[in-house]
C-alpha cells in the first residue's frame, strides 16, 4: 500500500466504536425480522398450520364392534365369533417379492403369481390371506419374512354346522351379514361402528396418552331365537331320514307355536354349512321356507273348509255328491282316487275328496274364496323377521279363468310359501287368530340386558273360534280315520291334513305325472295346540302321498317335541292308555 | 474493594478468585443469568423433544437428558473457572489451540478415527460420548482472529498481510470442514472472519473484494453439490415437495403454527413424534414454538438479543484491544449461529445443519459455547479502559 497511516488513525479504526454499533444494529435488526417472522408463522399462520397438524397427527379409526352372538331360546350358541389370524403384507418393505411370494406359497398354499403381483403393488397394505390356521401362523412366525405380518381378526363361527343354517344365514369375511338372520338383523348384530380419532406418530403408530385408555370395540347385540336347538335337531333328523328314505329332492319341516307365532324349528333340505360358504351354492342356502312358493295341493283344503264353515254355507254333516269320482271343468276333469258316492263334508275332508271340494267352492263363489285366502295371509308376506320373503302367487279374481276356482279348491293355481301355509293353519289352531310368525325372541346388549323383546303380534282373525273348533274336529278326524293316519301321535289328539300336489312341469307348463310334493300340515294337541308343524317332501321317488311320505315325519317330530316340552296330552284317558308311567 | 456505580454499591462476588490485577469488577450478571436461563430452557425442551425418540432408539427416554446434563454441568464449571481467570492467557494459548484444532480436523476425516453419521464425518466417538472438532474450531478461530487483529494491527489496512493472511488460515479450516462435510460451520467461520476484520478496522474495498470472492466460491460449492442445490432451491418453496426435500421445513412450520400464541404445553408437542427431523438438535426451536408458543420463541429471541447487545457492550468496555476483539468475536460467534439457526427454522435461510447455541443437544457445542461465555464474563470483569492501553503489541 502506498499510503501510510498515523497511529491515531489505526487506533481509532481498531477501537471501531462506530463499526461495532453498526454490527450491533444489524443483529438487532435481524432479531426484529426473526421476531416478526415467528409472529407471522405462529400467529397469522396458526390456523392453517393447526389444520395441517391435525391432519397428520390424528388418525381416524373405524372401530367395528364384535359381532353379536346368535343363541337359541335356551341360550345355546348358534353363531359366535372366533379370533383368527390373517396375513397382510407391506409391499414397500419387501425387497424380494418373488422370494417372499415363493415362501408364502409354500406355507399358505395360495397361487404364487397373483400373490407376487400383489406384493409388487405400489401400496402400503395388501391382504395375503385372510383367516388362516394356527399352524400356518406358527410357520409364518418362524419364517419371519420382512414386510409380512399377521393380525388377529374376528371370524364368524357356527358351532352347530348345518343346524338351522337357512335361518341363520351367514356373515361375510368382513363380518357383514349376507344371508338369513345374519343379514336381517345385521344392524343389531354388527353393533355400532364408531369413528375414533386417535393420535399417531409420523410412522403411523397410535399414541395412547398414559392417562387415557385405548378405546375398545363395543360388542354388537346378541339375539336370542324362538328356535329350540333340541326341537330343531329333531326336525332336521326326521327330515333327513325321510328325504333319504324317499330319495326326495328336498324337503322342509317347520314347527311353530300356534298361539304366538314363534318358530321352534326350521329345517330345510338341501342344506349347507355356513362355516364353509365357498363350497356352498345359493341353491343350497336359499331359505325355501319363505322364498320359494309351491302349489300346496290338498293341504289348502283346510283353509277352504274353514272358509265354507265360517260363511255357514256348509256344516260338517252336509251331504255332498262325489259319486262319480270326477268332475268336468272347462275341458278337463278333476278326479278323486276312488268313487265315494254321497259324502258328508266331514268325510270329504277325511278322504280329501277333490270332487266334493270343487263343488263346495262353486257354492262359496270366487269372491269369498279369494277373500278368505287373503285374510288367511296368502298373497302377502307373513311379516316374519327374515329377509327375502315371497308373497307367493295368488291372482285376483278378475284374472281368473273358469278353471281357477275349482283348481284353488284342490290347492292348485296358487303358490304359497311353506311358512304362509303353516301360519294360516296355525290360525285355526289359535281360535282363529292369525299371528305374525317370528324367529327372534329378544335382543340383548353387551352386558346381557334386554334391549328389545318380540311381543306376539296378531295380524287379524279370519274365522271365529267356533269355526276354528269345527275345522279342528274335521282335521282330527283326518288323522284318526282318514288320509293322515300315519301322523297320529299316541296319547295325543292330532289335527292335520295331507297334501299331494303334482308339480308343474316347467317345460310343458302342465302338471307333471311324475313329480309330486307330498306334504302334511297339522297341530297338536288338538284341544290345546302347542305345536303346529308343516312337513313338505319335495319330489320323493316312489309313492308321493303326503299321508305316506310326510305324515310319519310329522308324527316323529311331534312325538319327540311333545315329550321334550312335557306337553300333557289333551285327552286324559288316552294318555293313561298309551303311557303307563307318569 | 467496593466501587460506587451510580448510587449502587457493588461488591465483587466473594467466590471470585481475583487472579488478575486488571480485575476490578464483578462479572456481568446479565450475561450470566441469560446464559443460565438459556441452558435451562434448552435442557427442558431438549428432554421433551428427545424423550420419545430416545425411548424408541435406546430404550431409555432420559438417554439424551443424562448426557446433556453431564455436558451442561461440565460446561458451567468450565464457564466459572474460565470467568475467574485472566482472559489474556488465551492469547498465549492461541497458536497451540489453533494447531491442535487443525490436527483434530484432519484426524476426524480419517475413516478409522472419525465416526460417520448421515454421510458426514464430523465426530470422534469416545467412551459413549461424541466430540465434534468443528465446534472447537469456532472458538479457536475466534481466538486466532482476536490475537491476529492485535498482533497485525499495523498491517490491517493492507490487502495481503491484513486480509489475505487470515483469510488463508480461515480458508484452510473451512476447507477441512467442507470435506467432512460441514458447510454450516464453514459458513460460520467465514462470517466470523468477515465480521472481525470489519470490526478490527479493515478497509471496506478489501472486504468487498473478499466478499465477492467468497460469494463466487459459495456459488460454485452449492452448484457443484446436488444436495446443497436442492436444499437451496427447495427452501424457497418448501410446500412444493413437502413429502421429501421440503419435509423438514414444512414440518417445522407445522410445529410453529400448531403452537400458536401460547403453545400446546410442555411435553404435549406432537411434532417430535418423528414428524420433525432433528427435533432435539437443529430444529429444537420449532419444538419450543410448538410446546411454548410464540411466547417461548419470542422469549428466546429476546434473551439472545440481550446477550448480543451485552456482548458488544462488554467489548466496548474491554480494557485492551485483545479483550475488545475477543469479546466481539465471541458475541459474533453466538450471534451468527443464533441468527442462522433461527432463520433456518423459520424458513428464511436454507437448511444449514447448525445448532442453536445453549439450547440444542450436543456436548461439544454446549461446552464450547459455555467456555466462550466464560471468556466473555472474564473480559467483563476487567476494568473499563480508564488506564492507558498498555497491552499494545503484547504477545
Amino acid at each position: 500500500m502506498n499510503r501510510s497511516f498515523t497511529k491515531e488513525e489505526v487506533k481509532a479504526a481498531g477501537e471501531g466504536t462506530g463499526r461495532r454499533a453498526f454490527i450491533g444494529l444489524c443483529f438487532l435488526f435481524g432479531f426484529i425480522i426473526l421476531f416478526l417472522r415467528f409472529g407471522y408463522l405462529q400467529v397469522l399462520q396458526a390456523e392453517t398450520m393447526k389444520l395441517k397438524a391435525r391432519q397428520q397427527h390424528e388418525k381416524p379409526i373405524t372401530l367395528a364392534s364384535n359381532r353379536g352372538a346368535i343363541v337359541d331360546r335356551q341360550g345355546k350358541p348358534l353363531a359366535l365369533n372366533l379370533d383368527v389370524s390373517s396375513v397382510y403384507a407391506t409391499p414397500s418393505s419387501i425387497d424380494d417379492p418373488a422370494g417372499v411370494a415363493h415362501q408364502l406359497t409354500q406355507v399358505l398354499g395360495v397361487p404364487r403369481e397373483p400373490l407376487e403381483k400383489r406384493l409388487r403393488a405400489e401400496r402400503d397394505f395388501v391382504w395375503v390371506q385372510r383367516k388362516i390356521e394356527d399352524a400356518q401362523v406358527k410357520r409364518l412366525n418362524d419364517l419371519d419374512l420382512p414386510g409380512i405380518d399377521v393380525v388377529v381378526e374376528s371370524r364368524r363361527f357356527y358351532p352347530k354346522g348345518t343346524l338351522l343354517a337357512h335361518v341363520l344365514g351367514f356373515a361375510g369375511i368382513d363380518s357383514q351379514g349376507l344371508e338369513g338372520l345374519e343379514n336381517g338383523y345385521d344392524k343389531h348384530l354388527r353393533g355400532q361402528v364408531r369413528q375414533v380419532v386417535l393420535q399417531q406418530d409420523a410412522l403411523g403408530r397410535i399414541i395412547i396418552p398414559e392417562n387415557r385408555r385405548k378405546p375398545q370395540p363395543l360388542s354388537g347385540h346378541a339375539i336370542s331365537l324362538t328356535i329350540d336347538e333340541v326341537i330343531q335337531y329333531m326336525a332336521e333328523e326326521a327330515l333327513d331320514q325321510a328325504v333319504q328314505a324317499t330319495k326326495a329332492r328336498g324337503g322342509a319341516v317347520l314347527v311353530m307355536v300356534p298361539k304366538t307365532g314363534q318358530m321352534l324349528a326350521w329345517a330345510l333340505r338341501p342344506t349347507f354349512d355356513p362355516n364353509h360358504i365357498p363350497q356352498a351354492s345359493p341353491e343350497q342356502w336359499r331359505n325355501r321356507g319363505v322364498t320359494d312358493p309351491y302349489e300346496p295341493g290338498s293341504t289348502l283344503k283346510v283353509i277352504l273348509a274353514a272358509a265354507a264353515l265360517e260363511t255357514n254355507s256348509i256344516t260338517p254333516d252336509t251331504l255332498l255328491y262325489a259319486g262319480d269320482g270326477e268332475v268336468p271343468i272347462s275341458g278337463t276333469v278333476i278326479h278323486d282316487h276312488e268313487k265315494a258316492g254321497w259324502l258328508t263334508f266331514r268325510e270329504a275332508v277325511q278322504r280329501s275328496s277333490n270332487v266334493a271340494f270343487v263343488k263346495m267352492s262353486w257354492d262359496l263363489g270366487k269372491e269369498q274364496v279369494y277373500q278368505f285366502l287373503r285374510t288367511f295371509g296368502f298373497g302377502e308376506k307373513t311379516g316374519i323377521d327374515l329377509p327375502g320373503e315371497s308373497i307367493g302367487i295368488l291372482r285376483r279374481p278378475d284374472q281368473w279363468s273358469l278353471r281357477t276356482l275349482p283348481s284353488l279348491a284342490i290347492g292348485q293355481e296358487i303358490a304359497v310359501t311353506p311358512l304362509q301355509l303353516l301360519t294360516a293353519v296355525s290360525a285355526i289352531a289359535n281360535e282363529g287368530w292369525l299371528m305374525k310368525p317370528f324367529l327372534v325372541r329378544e335382543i340383548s346388549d353387551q352386558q346381557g340386558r334386554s334391549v328389545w323383546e318380540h311381543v306376539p303380534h296378531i295380524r287379524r282373525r279370519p274365522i271365529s273360534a267356533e269355526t276354528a273348533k269345527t275345522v279342528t274336529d274335521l282335521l282330527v278326524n283326518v288323522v284318526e280315520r282318514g288320509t293322515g293316519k300315519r301322523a297320529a301321535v299316541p296319547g295325543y289328539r292330532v289335527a292335520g291334513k295331507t297334501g299331494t300336489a303334482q308339480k308343474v312341469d316347467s317345460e310343458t307348463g302342465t302338471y307333471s305325472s311324475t313329480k309330486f310334493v307330498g306334504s302334511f300340515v297339522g297341530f297338536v294337541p288338538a284341544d290345546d295346540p302347542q305345536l303346529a308343524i308343516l312337513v313338505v317332501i319335495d319330489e320323493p321317488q316312489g309313492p308321493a302321498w303326503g299321508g305316506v311320505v310326510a305324515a310319519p315325519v310329522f308324527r316323529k317330530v311331534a312325538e319327540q317335541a311333545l315329550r321334550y316340552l312335557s306337553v300333557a296330552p289333551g285327552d286324559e284317558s288316552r294318555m293313561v292308555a298309551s303311557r303307563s308311567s307318569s | 474493594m467496593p466501587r460506587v456505580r451510580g448510587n449502587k454499591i457493588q461488591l465483587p462476588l466473594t467466590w471470585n478468585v481475583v487472579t488478575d490485577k486488571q480485575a476490578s469488577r464483578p462479572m456481568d450478571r446479565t450475561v450470566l443469568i441469560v446464559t443460565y436461563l438459556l441452558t435451562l430452557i434448552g435442557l427442558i425442551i431438549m428432554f421433551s423433544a428427545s424423550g420419545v425418540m430416545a425411548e424408541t432408539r435406546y430404550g431409555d427416554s432420559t438417554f439424551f437428558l443424562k448426557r446433556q446434563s453431564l455436558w451442561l454441568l461440565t460446561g458451567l464449571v468450565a464457564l466459572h473457572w474460565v470467568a475467574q481467570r485472566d482472559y489474556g492467557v488465551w492469547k498465549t494459548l492461541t497458536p497451540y489451540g489453533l494447531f491442535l484444532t487443525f490436527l483434530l480436523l484432519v484426524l476426524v476425516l480419517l475413516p478409522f478415527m472419525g465416526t460417520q453419521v448421515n454421510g458426514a464425518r464430523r465426530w470422534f466417538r469416545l467412551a459413549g460420548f461424541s466430540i465434534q472438532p468443528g465446534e472447537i474450531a469456532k472458538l479457536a478461530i475466534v481466538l486466532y482472529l482476536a490475537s491476529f487483529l492485535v498482533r497485525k494491527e499495523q498491517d490491517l489496512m493492507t490487502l495481503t498481510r491484513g486480509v489475505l493472511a487470515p483469510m488463508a488460515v480461515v480458508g484452510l479450516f473451512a476447507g477441512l470442514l467442507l470435506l467432512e462435510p460441514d458447510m454450516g460451520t464453514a459458513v460460520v467461520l467465514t462470517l466470523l472472519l468477515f465480521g472481525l476484520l470489519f470490526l478490527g478496522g479493515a478497509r471496506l474495498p478489501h472486504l468487498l473484494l473478499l466478499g465477492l470472492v467468497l460469494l463466487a466460491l459459495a456459488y460454485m460449492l452449492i452448484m457443484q453439490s446436488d444436495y446443497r442445490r436442492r436444499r437451496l432451491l427447495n427452501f424457497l418453496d418448501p410446500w412444493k415437495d413437502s413429502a421429501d426435500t421440503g419435509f423438514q421445513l414444512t414440518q417445522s412450520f407445522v410445529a410453529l403454527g400448531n403452537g400458536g400464541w401460547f403453545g400446546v404445553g410442555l411435553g404435549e408437542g406432537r411434532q417430535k413424534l418423528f414428524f420433525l427431523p432433528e427435533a432435539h438438535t437443529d430444529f429444537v426451536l420449532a419444538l419450543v414454538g410448538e410446546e411454548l408458543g410464540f411466547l417461548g420463541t419470542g422469549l428466546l429471541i429476546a434473551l439472545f438479543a440481550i446477550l448480543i447487545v451485552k456482548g458488544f457492550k462488554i467489548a466496548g468496555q474491554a480494557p485492551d484491544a485483545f479483550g475488545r476483539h475477543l469479546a466481539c468475536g465471541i458475541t459474533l460467534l453466538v450471534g451468527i449461529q443464533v441468527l442462522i439457526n433461527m432463520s433456518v427454522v423459520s424458513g428464511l435461510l436454507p437448511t444449514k445443519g447448525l445448532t442453536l447455541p445453549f439450547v440444542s443437544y450436543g456436548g461439544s457445542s454446549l461446552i464450547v459455547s459455555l467456555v466462550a461465555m466464560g471468556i466473555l464474563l472474564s473480559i467483563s470483569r476487567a476494568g473499563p479502559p480508564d488506564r492507558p492501553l498498555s497491552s499494545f503489541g503484547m504477545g
Side-chain angles (χ1 to χ4, degrees):
Chain A
M1 289 287 121
N2 47 15
R3 205 193 128 190
S4 65
F5 301 96
T6 63
K7 200 170 180 180
E8 282 64 38
E9 269 183 311
V10 173
K11 202 169 95 181
E15 282 185 48
T17 317
R19 288 188 175 191
R20 202 164 51 242
F22 173 73
I23 293 278
L25 282 175
C26 283
F27 272 104
L28 274 183
F29 183 69
F31 282 122
I32 288 167
I33 296 283
L34 280 170
F35 187 81
L36 294 175
R37 174 68 176 169
F38 276 92
Y40 166 75
L41 288 173
Q42 299 200 260
V43 179
L44 296 182
Q45 289 273 75
E47 286 314 307
T48 323
M49 291 305 145
K50 276 176 184 172
L51 194 72
K52 282 184 191 294
R54 248 201 325 279
Q55 279 168 359
Q56 66 181 22
H57 295 163
E58 291 181 352
K59 188 179 198 174
I61 286 202
T62 306
L63 265 186
S65 300
N66 286 321
R67 199 169 175 79
I70 302 178
V71 300
D72 86 337
R73 68 189 297 129
Q74 313 287 356
K76 294 188 185 131
L78 298 172
L80 40 84
N81 293 317
L82 281 187
D83 284 342
V84 289
S85 304
S86 291
V87 196
Y88 69 92
T90 313
S92 53
S93 47
I94 297 176
D95 299 325
D96 174 23
V100 172
H102 177 71
Q103 284 181 290
L104 285 174
T105 304
Q106 291 198 323
V107 176
L108 303 172
V110 289
R112 200 176 145 265
E113 281 184 12
L115 175 61
E116 190 183 326
K117 205 173 159 193
R118 263 180 294 157
L119 294 186
R120 289 186 190 281
E122 297 268 323
R123 286 159 64 189
D124 289 335
F125 181 98
V126 291
W127 285 116
V128 173
Q129 177 85 320
R130 303 283 295 274
K131 310 193 171 173
I132 61 169
E133 307 292 331
D134 286 349
Q136 294 176 317
V137 175
K138 201 176 168 300
R139 286 183 63 191
L140 274 183
N141 287 340
D142 291 344
L143 283 176
D144 194 22
L145 295 168
I148 302 293
D149 289 290
V150 173
V151 286
V152 174
E153 286 193 284
S154 191
R155 188 184 78 175
R156 201 60 163 165
F157 177 62
Y158 304 91
K160 306 290 161 36
T162 59
L163 194 88
L164 199 66
H166 300 91
V167 168
L168 296 176
F170 50 86
I173 196 144
D174 290 315
S175 287
Q176 73 281 34
L178 294 178
E179 288 285 334
L181 292 177
E182 292 273 33
N183 176 248
Y185 281 85
D186 195 38
K187 201 177 66 181
H188 302 278
L189 291 167
R190 189 189 287 246
Q192 291 162 299
V193 174
R194 281 182 305 160
Q195 289 285 336
V196 186
V197 176
L198 298 176
Q199 299 287 315
Q200 68 174 355
D201 69 10
L203 308 174
R205 292 178 302 199
I206 299 298
I207 307 297
I208 306 290
E210 276 169 24
N211 52 356
R212 256 175 270 163
R213 269 193 35 220
K214 192 178 176 186
Q216 293 292 326
L218 296 171
S219 198
H221 289 163
I223 64 178
S224 321
L225 305 188
T226 59
I227 298 284
D228 190 300
E229 186 191 292
V230 176
I231 298 174
Q232 175 70 21
Y233 181 76
M234 294 166 181
E236 299 223 5
E237 196 186 40
L239 179 61
D240 263 339
Q241 286 172 2
V243 168
Q244 273 164 29
T246 60
K247 297 190 174 66
R249 227 182 116 204
V253 174
L254 267 50
V255 183
M256 182 186 279
V257 178
K259 287 172 187 171
T260 57
Q262 297 185 351
M263 299 304 302
L264 285 175
W266 191 298
L268 297 178
R269 290 296 178 271
T271 187
F272 69 103
D273 185 345
N275 293 311
H276 301 288
I277 291 308
Q279 283 94 329
S281 67
E283 280 302 297
Q284 291 173 316
W285 71 56
R286 205 163 69 235
N287 190 343
R288 293 162 200 268
V290 288
T291 58
D292 286 20
Y294 73 111
E295 289 203 350
S298 301
T299 45
L300 193 71
K301 286 173 183 162
V302 177
I303 309 305
L304 289 148
L309 291 165
E310 177 72 12
T311 56
N312 292 319
S313 66
I314 209 164
T315 71
D317 297 316
T318 304
L319 282 172
L320 297 158
Y321 185 69
D324 305 338
E326 56 181 46
V327 58
I329 307 155
S330 61
T332 59
V333 176
I334 288 178
H335 295 274
D336 280 342
H337 15 268
E338 52 188 24
K339 295 185 182 178
W342 286 94
L343 292 171
T344 61
F345 183 51
R346 178 181 294 110
E347 287 167 331
V349 176
Q350 177 189 322
R351 294 179 181 206
S352 196
S353 166
N354 290 340
V355 177
F357 267 84
V358 168
K359 289 182 174 174
M360 191 200 73
S361 71
W362 278 327
D363 287 345
L364 212 50
K366 279 165 84 168
E367 285 303 326
Q368 298 234 53
V369 167
Y370 178 74
Q371 279 311 320
F372 270 100
L373 287 172
R374 287 304 305 260
T375 49
F376 268 104
F378 297 105
E380 70 174 25
K381 294 185 178 185
T382 64
I384 192 166
D385 41 357
L386 272 176
E389 188 182 6
S390 160
I391 61 165
I393 302 166
L394 173 59
R395 282 175 292 156
R396 291 153 46 100
D398 54 13
Q399 295 167 329
W400 291 5
S401 70
L402 281 174
R403 276 187 53 177
T404 304
L405 184 57
S407 294
L408 282 171
I410 59 171
Q412 294 184 340
E413 290 203 29
I414 181 174
V416 306
T417 65
L419 184 65
Q420 278 179 329
L421 183 64
L422 181 62
T423 308
V425 170
S426 290
I428 291 159
N430 190 28
E431 298 179 344
W433 298 105
L434 184 74
M435 305 301 293
K436 187 175 94 173
F438 63 94
L439 280 158
V440 173
R441 199 167 55 87
E442 191 182 346
I443 300 178
S444 45
D445 66 11
Q446 213 170 351
Q447 284 78 34
R449 289 183 302 236
S450 175
V451 294
W452 180 78
E453 217 165 318
H454 213 144
V455 185
H457 174 74
I458 296 169
R459 290 154 73 194
R460 63 185 88 91
R461 188 172 201 178
I463 54 169
S464 67
E466 202 183 330
T467 306
K469 177 88 179 60
T470 311
V471 177
T472 302
D473 286 341
L474 292 177
L475 296 180
V476 169
N477 192 49
V478 169
V479 175
E480 288 183 346
R481 298 189 189 82
T483 54
K485 280 177 191 154
R486 296 189 199 197
V489 180
Y492 296 86
R493 289 183 79 213
V494 175
K497 180 72 191 80
T498 58
T500 311
Q502 289 170 285
K503 289 183 81 169
V504 175
D505 193 315
S506 56
E507 284 176 20
T508 61
T510 58
Y511 285 102
S512 162
S513 54
T514 52
K515 291 179 179 169
F516 295 90
V517 175
S519 57
F520 186 91
V521 61
F523 48 89
V524 65
D527 303 315
D528 180 21
Q530 301 294 318
L531 302 170
I533 304 173
L534 170 69
V535 178
V536 180
I537 304 295
D538 186 21
E539 290 185 29
Q541 307 290 303
W545 304 113
V548 177
V549 295
V553 178
F554 177 96
R555 184 190 64 80
K556 203 183 285 178
V557 174
E559 192 174 19
Q560 293 177 348
L562 288 168
R563 195 183 305 143
Y564 167 73
L565 296 171
S566 309
V567 175
D571 187 313
E572 288 299 319
S573 59
R574 281 162 194 259
M575 189 198 92
V576 174
S578 67
R579 297 166 87 189
S580 49
S581 60
S582 80
Chain B
M1 75 181 182
R3 286 174 54 88
V4 181
R5 293 184 72 210
N7 43 15
K8 257 188 181 169
I9 294 177
Q10 291 198 336
L11 287 165
L13 293 177
T14 48
W15 39 263
N16 269 0
V17 182
V18 181
T19 56
D20 178 25
K21 55 186 185 305
Q22 285 185 341
S24 50
R25 291 193 288 176
M27 66 173 92
D28 189 289
R29 283 200 195 171
T30 314
V31 169
L32 189 68
I33 290 169
V34 167
T35 305
Y36 266 86
L37 270 177
L38 284 171
T39 53
L40 206 67
I41 293 172
L43 194 67
I44 293 167
I45 205 75
M46 195 280 310
F47 176 50
S48 170
S50 68
V52 175
M53 190 266 277
E55 176 73 43
T56 309
R57 206 180 285 176
Y58 304 102
D60 174 11
S61 60
T62 59
F63 182 89
F64 293 105
L65 178 70
K66 282 191 242 171
R67 275 161 176 71
Q68 188 76 348
S69 303
L70 200 63
W71 288 123
L72 180 56
L73 224 62
T74 315
L76 288 176
V77 169
L79 176 143
H80 286 290
W81 192 82
V82 168
Q84 286 158 36
R85 260 133 201 102
D86 175 17
Y87 61 85
V89 74
W90 290 99
K91 194 152 58 175
T92 35
L93 289 176
T94 298
Y96 309 108
L98 202 62
F99 180 70
L100 199 68
T101 312
F102 172 75
L103 213 59
L104 286 174
L105 283 175
V106 172
L107 285 176
V108 82
L109 291 173
L110 303 176
F112 51 90
M113 297 291 289
T115 307
Q116 202 162 2
V117 179
N118 295 334
R121 206 179 288 279
R122 299 178 187 168
W123 297 270
F124 290 115
R125 201 168 286 279
L126 272 177
F129 292 99
S130 297
I131 294 165
Q132 193 175 350
E135 294 294 334
I136 302 169
K138 291 174 187 168
L139 186 58
I141 289 295
V142 167
L143 289 169
Y144 159 72
L145 288 173
S147 76
F148 169 83
L149 290 175
V150 173
R151 281 184 290 115
K152 301 285 157 78
E153 200 168 19
Q154 306 294 339
D155 303 330
L156 205 58
M157 296 296 182
T158 65
L159 184 64
T160 41
R161 280 170 299 169
V163 174
L164 290 184
M167 188 184 156
V169 174
V170 171
L172 180 66
F173 275 59
L176 286 170
L177 286 162
L178 284 175
L179 287 176
E180 292 183 359
D182 183 356
M183 194 179 182
T185 306
V187 167
V188 170
L189 296 192
T190 312
L191 290 175
L192 272 175
L193 170 72
F194 245 101
L196 280 175
L197 283 182
F198 176 73
L199 289 173
R203 295 182 64 197
L204 289 179
H206 293 165
L207 289 174
L208 204 66
L209 186 68
L210 179 63
L212 285 175
V213 170
L214 286 173
L215 273 179
L217 267 174
Y219 179 81
M220 272 166 59
L221 269 174
I222 287 164
M223 287 304 147
Q224 160 211 340
S225 156
D226 199 39
Y227 98 103
R228 279 184 198 131
R229 191 175 55 234
R230 266 193 301 148
R231 268 187 173 186
L232 183 77
L233 295 177
N234 177 265
F235 108 95
L236 298 171
D237 185 9
W239 294 103
K240 201 172 75 186
D241 189 14
S242 62
D244 186 18
T245 48
F247 185 75
Q248 194 170 34
L249 192 52
T250 52
Q251 289 303 325
S252 177
F253 288 166
V254 169
L256 291 170
N258 196 35
W261 274 106
F262 303 108
V264 296
L266 196 61
E268 293 296 312
R270 296 271 173 246
Q271 285 295 94
K272 62 196 178 194
L273 299 174
F274 311 101
F275 290 103
L276 181 62
E278 305 295 336
H280 66 303
T281 56
D282 298 357
F283 277 76
V284 73
L285 188 63
L287 251 289
V288 173
E290 189 189 13
E291 300 198 345
L292 304 177
F294 185 41
L295 203 69
T297 48
L299 177 72
L300 280 187
I301 292 172
L303 287 176
F304 277 117
I306 291 169
L307 200 61
I308 301 309
V309 169
K310 267 287 172 190
F312 283 126
K313 262 205 179 130
I314 290 170
Q317 291 166 357
D320 57 7
F322 180 64
R324 188 167 69 244
H325 294 316
L326 195 51
C328 280
I330 287 166
T331 309
L332 276 179
L333 175 63
V334 174
I336 288 166
Q337 293 187 85
V338 169
L339 279 189
I340 291 180
N341 179 277
M342 288 185 166
S343 302
V344 165
V345 169
S346 59
L348 294 175
L349 281 177
T351 319
K352 274 286 178 309
L354 272 185
T355 56
L356 186 62
F358 308 115
V359 182
S360 291
Y361 175 76
S364 309
S365 161
L366 185 63
I367 291 205
V368 168
S369 300
L370 288 173
V371 168
M373 282 302 111
I375 298 172
L376 188 64
L377 287 168
S378 165
I379 298 168
S380 77
R381 284 172 54 240
D386 49 3
R387 282 166 289 173
L389 295 165
S390 56
S391 55
F392 264 78
M394 213 174 85

